């Protein structure tokens, strides 16, 4: 059983999902028959395919040659986000004719208030039927999902289910853990890595993940895991902002002359995106929901709301503005909806309607560091460090490289930025006494004393064992009882010293306050070499 959410209830969400939308859009662009197999490729592999392609054996992830061998009649298309949005725009307009207030998560996926739809049509089932009919007019299939939370509603839409109130956690529990990464518009880009890790740890179902304590998830995984855990537990989303929208965030541009071409409008949209993010940055916020509005010479206004799982960057904002303008200016009009500008655009406006703290946009050091996953961020980090080095001197900025050694501190060599990265010792050489993983989270060198139950100092003998059973650790003016210990493990160090260096060893101990320490014995005394977290 899952504990009920301890936060205020949120309005129920209705999600409308058009399956295989990239393939549907590719077929619609050239008026292909729905019976013709279609596959959309990205980086040489199938990214999406329609039902006709799946019926003959084409699957996501297949290579182009393999898929064409299975289906010689397969129509091949290259992934095009602009095409997906352009073809989806008439579908959005048709849904808006039925339900006025909708938000676009991505082309092929819409969300709206379930309560509003049910009130308007007199019931949830009737509203779902009307929405499906509105989409089918445009030759696309769709399914509806309703739930308390956004992620659950989208997951339910993939199965065409209405989840009972307060039943989100029960609905999600038996689903495979991979479902947490199934919808890219609702999760971080690296959510797949988290899912792979959880699967290798034996967590195969969303319910298994939900049963972990929030404290364990927060201390063992990253920020995205915390968000995924809240989703798995069906905890209501926290309000995106704890304060009202800062003033002066709306940006607009008066088009002179008016524009009726996509390239000209997209250029203005990119310029507005930069201006908007400058205003957001000045207010220390980032945008997660954005209204794109175009006003024409005749006074007509066209607006769409775009929602994103992660805060929009200038590039992501510019992409969504371009997709929307492409759909308005080149898409097919829907009778009576006013979804397409009836004359050239004279005003283009971007308006944030939901913001979060700007810290959500800040990347971790692992992402933008010199060895991070973002090459552009790594270059920015390197340029910034070089400026600091120019101010403080060459040795003031150092970078760590992997080195050889038995202890954790010895396995890192600090090199001044820009110098040849040569470690103090070969990390690939055999190190028989090397400490196994995991390594301590904090490294230090603090003298401590270990005593046995009789108060006698505990040392390491020449045969590599304790002189007596460890019982107490004294560190400065404080003492702790030892709940557990492992070792000692001889390290065979300082054999070249005139006195032979004396015995040297490492040991691990667990204090009575649950802290675990790595201890190092050298000469005739102990020191704390690391703290495990």
């Amino acid at each position: 059983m899952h504990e009920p959410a301890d936060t205020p209830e949120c309005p129920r969400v209705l999600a409308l999902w058009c399956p295989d939308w990239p393939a549907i859009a590719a077929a619609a662009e050239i008026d292909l028959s729905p019976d013709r197999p279609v596959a959309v490729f990205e980086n040489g592999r199938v990214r999406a395919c329609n039902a006709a392609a799946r019926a003959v054996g084409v699957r996501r992830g297949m290579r182009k040659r393999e898929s064409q061998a299975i289906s010689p009649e397969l129509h091949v298309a290259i992934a095009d986000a602009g095409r997906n949005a352009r073809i989806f725009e008439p579908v959005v307009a048709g849904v808006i004719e039925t339900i006025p207030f909708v938000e676009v998560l991505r082309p092929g996926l819409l969300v709206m208030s379930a309560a509003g739809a049910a009130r308007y049509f007199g019931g949830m089932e009737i509203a779902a039927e009307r929405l499906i009919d509105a989409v089918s007019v445009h030759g696309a299939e769709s399914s509806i999902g309703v739930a308390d939370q956004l992620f659950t509603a989208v997951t339910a839409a993939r199965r065409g289910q209405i989840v009972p109130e307060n039943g989100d956690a029960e609905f999600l529990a038996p689903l495979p853990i991979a479902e947490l990464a199934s919808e890219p518009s609702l999760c971080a880009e690296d959510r797949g890595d988290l899912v792979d890790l959880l699967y290798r740890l034996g967590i195969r179902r969303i319910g298994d993940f939900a049963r972990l304590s929030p404290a364990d998830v927060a201390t063992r995984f990253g920020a995205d895991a915390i968000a995924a855990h809240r989703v798995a537990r069906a905890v209501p989303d926290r309000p995106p902002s704890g304060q009202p929208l800062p003033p002066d965030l709306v940006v607009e541009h008066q088009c002179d002359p008016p524009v009726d071409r996509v390239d000209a409008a997209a250029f203005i949209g990119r310029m507005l995106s930069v201006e908007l993010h400058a205003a957001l940055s000045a207010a220390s916020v980032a945008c997660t929901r954005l209204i794109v509005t175009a006003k024409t010479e005749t006074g007509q206004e066209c607006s769409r709301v775009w929602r994103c799982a992660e805060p929009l960057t200038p590039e992501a904002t510019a992409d969504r503005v371009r997709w929307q303008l492409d759909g308005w200016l080149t898409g097919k009009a829907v009778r009576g909806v006013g979804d397409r500008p009836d004359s050239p655009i004279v005003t283009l406006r971007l308006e944030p309607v939901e913001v979060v703290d700007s810290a959500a946009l800040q990347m971790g050091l692992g992402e933008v560091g010199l060895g991070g996953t973002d090459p552009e961020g790594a270059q920015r980090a390197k340029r910034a460090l070089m400026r600091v080095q120019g101010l403080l001197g060459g040795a003031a900025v150092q970078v760590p490289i992997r080195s050889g050694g038995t202890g954790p501190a010895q396995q890192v060599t600090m090199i001044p930025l820009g110098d040849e990265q040569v470690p103090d010792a070969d990390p690939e050489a055999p190190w028989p006494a090397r400490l196994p993983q995991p390594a301590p989270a904090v490294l230090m060198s603090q003298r401590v004393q270990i005593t046995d139950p009789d108060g006698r100092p505990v040392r390491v003998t020449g045969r590599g064992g304790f002189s007596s059973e460890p019982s107490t650790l004294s560190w400065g003016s404080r003492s702790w009882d030892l709940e557990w210990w492992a070792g000692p493990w001889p390290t065979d160090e300082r054999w070249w010293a005139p006195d032979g260096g004396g015995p040297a060893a490492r040991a691990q101990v667990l204090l009575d306050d649950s802290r675990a320490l790595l201890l190092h014995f050298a000469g005739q005394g102990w020191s704390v070499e690391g703290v495990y977290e």
Side-chain angles (χ1 to χ4, degrees):
M1 296 291 291
H2 294 271
E3 296 181 1
D6 55 359
T7 51
E9 293 186 2
C10 296
R12 282 170 66 77
V13 180
L14 185 151
L16 184 150
W17 175 60
C18 297
D20 312 322
W21 184 255
I24 300 302
E29 187 177 42
I30 56 176
D31 294 325
L32 281 180
S33 167
D35 298 329
R36 175 77 178 273
V38 177
V40 177
F41 288 81
E42 187 174 32
N43 298 326
R45 293 185 179 272
V46 176
R47 178 183 176 186
C49 57
N50 62 1
R54 287 196 299 274
V56 296
V58 178
R59 295 292 183 268
R60 290 188 63 180
M62 279 187 176
R63 294 188 179 276
K64 183 177 179 180
R65 180 175 299 179
E66 180 184 3
S67 61
Q68 288 181 313
I70 293 174
S71 175
E73 299 298 320
L74 183 71
H75 173 71
V76 174
I78 302 302
D80 184 349
R83 176 185 62 213
N84 297 344
R86 181 174 65 253
I87 304 299
F88 193 57
E89 175 55 28
V91 177
V92 180
V95 172
I96 287 178
E97 190 178 27
T98 305
I99 301 291
F101 303 105
V102 303
E103 296 180 9
V104 182
L105 285 178
R106 61 166 173 81
L109 183 59
L110 300 172
V111 293
M112 62 202 77
S113 167
R119 283 197 305 267
Y120 189 78
F121 290 106
M124 193 67 69
E125 289 77 9
I126 299 175
E129 291 178 4
R130 292 290 298 272
L131 288 169
I132 291 174
D133 290 342
V135 174
S136 65
V137 170
H138 303 279
E141 296 181 352
S142 62
S143 60
I144 299 294
V146 179
D148 295 339
Q149 305 306 318
L150 176 61
F151 177 86
T152 314
V154 172
T155 306
R158 295 175 179 271
R159 293 161 173 79
Q161 292 185 235
I162 297 179
V163 179
E165 291 191 29
N166 301 317
D168 285 29
E170 185 177 354
F171 168 76
L172 293 173
L175 300 183
I177 193 69
E179 285 289 336
L180 291 177
S182 62
E183 179 47 57
S185 64
L186 293 178
C187 63
E189 292 183 1
D190 58 352
R191 177 66 62 81
D193 295 337
L194 171 65
V195 167
D196 289 343
L197 174 59
L198 294 175
Y199 192 87
R200 293 197 302 271
L201 292 174
I203 301 174
R204 306 298 169 85
R205 303 288 174 183
I206 292 181
D208 299 334
F209 187 42
R211 282 189 286 272
L212 298 179
S213 74
D216 287 342
V217 173
T219 55
R220 288 168 171 79
F221 303 99
D224 183 56
I226 300 174
H229 191 241
R230 291 178 61 85
V231 165
R233 294 163 56 221
V235 175
D237 294 332
R238 290 191 177 97
S241 177
Q243 57 185 11
L245 284 171
D248 304 324
L249 289 184
V250 178
V251 296
E252 67 177 31
H253 180 81
Q254 302 298 326
C255 306
D256 187 16
V259 297
D260 57 2
R261 298 194 339 265
V262 174
D263 56 348
F267 178 80
I268 296 172
R270 183 166 294 277
M271 180 180 64
L272 280 179
S273 299
V274 174
E275 184 179 342
L276 170 65
H277 281 269
L280 292 170
S281 179
S284 298
V285 294
C287 178
T288 54
R289 283 170 64 196
L290 177 72
I291 297 179
V292 181
T293 303
K295 185 175 181 180
T296 68
E297 287 181 317
T298 62
Q300 178 199 21
E301 281 198 0
C302 304
S303 296
R304 289 289 182 272
V305 179
W306 286 82
R307 175 196 283 260
C308 295
E310 294 189 317
L312 288 166
T313 62
E315 294 78 13
T317 302
D319 285 343
R320 281 157 178 78
V321 174
R322 176 172 54 82
W323 297 342
Q324 189 59 65
L325 292 171
D326 195 2
W328 276 334
L329 295 175
T330 64
K332 300 177 181 178
V334 177
R335 177 177 56 83
V337 179
D339 67 302
R340 183 177 179 182
D342 56 8
S343 57
I345 296 174
V346 295
T347 303
L348 187 61
R349 182 170 68 249
L350 304 183
E351 179 182 356
V353 292
E354 194 172 86
V355 297
V356 295
D357 188 85
S358 60
L361 276 177
Q362 184 169 342
M363 295 183 177
L365 288 176
E367 298 176 81
V368 301
L370 300 182
T373 58
D374 178 10
E376 183 179 349
Q379 289 300 319
R380 291 198 304 269
K382 187 172 183 178
R383 287 194 295 268
L385 291 174
M386 290 179 67
R387 287 196 294 269
V388 174
Q389 194 177 39
L391 293 172
L392 302 180
V397 179
Q398 299 184 337
V399 294
I401 63 171
R402 185 166 171 260
S403 184
T406 57
Q410 297 169 342
Q411 295 174 32
V412 177
T413 299
M414 302 300 295
I415 303 293
L417 181 66
D419 286 7
E420 184 179 2
Q421 296 189 351
V422 178
D424 290 339
D426 183 5
E428 303 301 330
W431 297 94
R434 176 181 290 174
L435 193 72
Q437 293 294 326
V442 179
L443 300 181
M444 60 178 61
S445 180
Q446 297 287 331
R447 299 289 294 184
V448 295
Q449 186 176 19
I450 305 293
T451 54
D452 62 14
D454 296 328
R456 295 174 299 181
V458 176
R459 295 181 173 84
V460 175
T461 66
R463 300 178 64 88
F466 286 128
S467 59
S468 55
E469 182 175 342
S471 173
T472 304
L473 181 144
S474 299
W475 189 346
S477 59
R478 293 195 57 186
S479 297
W480 293 265
D481 291 334
L482 300 184
E483 299 286 342
W484 169 90
W485 49 267
W489 302 289
T491 58
D492 194 23
E493 295 175 340
R494 299 183 68 245
W495 54 267
W496 60 86
D499 59 356
R506 289 186 172 87
Q508 295 169 326
V509 298
L510 179 66
L511 307 183
D512 57 11
D513 63 359
S514 299
R515 281 190 298 172
L517 307 179
L518 174 65
L519 304 182
H520 184 219
F521 182 86
Q524 296 298 315
W526 290 96
S527 62
V528 176
E529 195 172 25
V531 180
Y532 293 95
E533 293 185 355

